[in-house]
Amino acid sequence: MKKFLKALAVGAAVAILAVGTVTGLIDWGRLGMIARGHFSNVKHATGAVDLKPSGPPSAAPEALKAAHACRENLRRIRTAKEAVRKRLGYEVQHVPEAAVLEAMGVRALPKCPSGGTYIIGSLQESPRCTVGAGGKTDPGLYHALPD
């Protein structure tokens, strides 16, 4: 009896996911982005951030953590821009900030831990942080996504 109920529950879940996907009621891109955002927040809150400094040992761990968190925010913004592009069919133009915020499931852009400001930019460019490379030679300290 237990095996039957388990199989019935799994079958029902699969059916719900299939129907939601076919009808478009389940937006897998947005769900994935929200999940990644929550996972990222959990990693930062628990201190489980994997930082592998590539620069000199003199680089402060706090600066490395801030740069890593900034790049993670930039990745989330870039993923949201891509979701908006797919959903709205944009090809070239600037992506409205409101649409990016909606895709991220937030009310405002995240804050750069070093005080920088995020610039969403057009679809052809990656989002940017005003801190950027800041003249630093260690890429681990950059507040920018790799090209």
Side-chain angles (χ1 to χ4, degrees), residues 4-5 7 21 27 34-35 38 40 51 56 63 69 83-84 91 94 103 105 126 131:
F4 172 74
L5 290 177
T21 300
D27 183 351
I34 290 169
H38 287 296
S40 172
L51 293 175
V84 170
E91 291 301 327
H94 182 79
S126 289
V131 174

Side-chain angles (χ1 to χ4, degrees), residues 31-98:
L31 285 176
M33 188 171 19
I34 290 169
R36 281 189 299 278
H38 287 296
F39 178 70
S40 172
N41 291 340
V42 169
K43 283 195 326 187
H44 292 297
T46 61
V49 178
D50 182 21
L51 293 175
K52 295 178 181 145
S54 59
S58 62
E62 298 81 27
L64 288 169
K65 284 183 182 180
H68 179 81
C70 180
R71 288 190 304 271
E72 185 60 32
N73 287 337
L74 290 169
R75 283 185 195 93
R76 289 178 59 212
I77 294 169
R78 182 172 57 194
T79 302
K81 281 173 57 173
E82 182 63 20
V84 170
R85 183 193 68 75
K86 286 179 182 175
R87 189 182 53 171
L88 299 179
Y90 288 167
E91 291 301 327
V92 177
Q93 69 247 40
H94 182 79
V95 181
E97 183 174 333

